Amino acid sequence: MEQNLQKPTALLLGGGGAKGAFQIGAWEALAESGRLTDIRAAAGCSVGALNAVLFALGDLSYAKQLWQQIQPGDLLARGTEGAFFSRDGLIRMIERLPLERIHSSGIRVHVSVHDTATGTPVFFELNGLSNDAIRTLLLASSAIPHIYAPERYLGRELMDGSVTPEGDLCIQPVYAQGHRELMMISMKPQLSLYGGTSVGNDNLLEYYPDCNFTLVKPTRTLGNLLTGTLNFTQDKIRMNMEQGYADAKAAIGESTVSSPFSSPFRTKEAINAQIVPLMQRLFPTSALLSGFLSEYGSRFAPNIQVPTLGGSVFYDNIFEVEGWRLQQQRTIGMQAHYRFLDANNVRVGWVLQPQLLLDALTEYAAMRELRGGQ
């Protein structure tokens, strides 16, 4: 069953790069609900391996702080020797972790990697390994194909464990140790225990009939490779944490009346608290804003450029640069309506779903980071 009434004893954390912040938000929600008190094993793939180590260290505040300090340049600096990006930032992050505490942790930590020679997933338990070995395996598990270079360990060339479904699901090592109450936190909205993502051409409930699963997954996409996996902007990380918190609460049948993260789209103020700072940072000139609308405006509502009276009665200006404005409808019930006006009060774009605007802004921010701020 997808919602398990028993407390899980093993935690499974799939991969997804920057989407991994979703798991930190889910951790917060599940810890508040007392659902993680019986966890005795954690298995992770790619960024899920890093989060599994953070979970075993047992300090949620430290994990949140680590994620909230990540900057795109830490993980997306240009690489050498066959790697598109450098690993230096991730190496520095791992070196800050008190890995010696893994050796004495009451939680057995497993990392999923992919053996490039055999084309199969391999799982390593970290608790008895040296700090250097743990660092190497964490780097190997997060070595996304064509993005980061593989790592060598014990004569094997290893890379991101999410290359195969088995590697990404991380069930095998905890199952072999006897765990049958499993909490799975995946960043894949399409994942289902009943099929779609399968092991051995069977759905998970058929393949593991003696297991009880609790599945936490996003209710909406966290983005593609550029807008999600490689989008290490703090705005996107915060959004992923918030979504993880809300979706975990929903998965276990609890509401999200109060959230430890900035809550998107619950009030007019909360919406604008995310949109406005992004626009202030991204658009210091009207030319940049015009370029953004030319590139992304087609994703919003169909627009015919028509003159307006400027909207002083029914609209609030929430952002302005060189006479260009983003306005929000102030009428109760219509506050999801945003429009862009140029310096001549011509409507050059409009939006009826704030999430579309925020997604476009975070994608644009990520693309600028990849282009070196250009």
Side-chain angles (χ1 to χ4, degrees), residues 61-83:
S61 295
Y62 177 80
K64 289 167 62 176
Q65 183 182 38
L66 186 73
W67 271 94
Q68 289 165 348
Q69 291 175 348
I70 295 174
Q71 296 298 322
D74 294 337
L75 300 175
L76 301 180
R78 289 293 181 182
T80 58
E81 299 180 359

Side-chain angles (χ1 to χ4, degrees), residues 165 253 265 350 360:
F265 313 150
W350 60 303

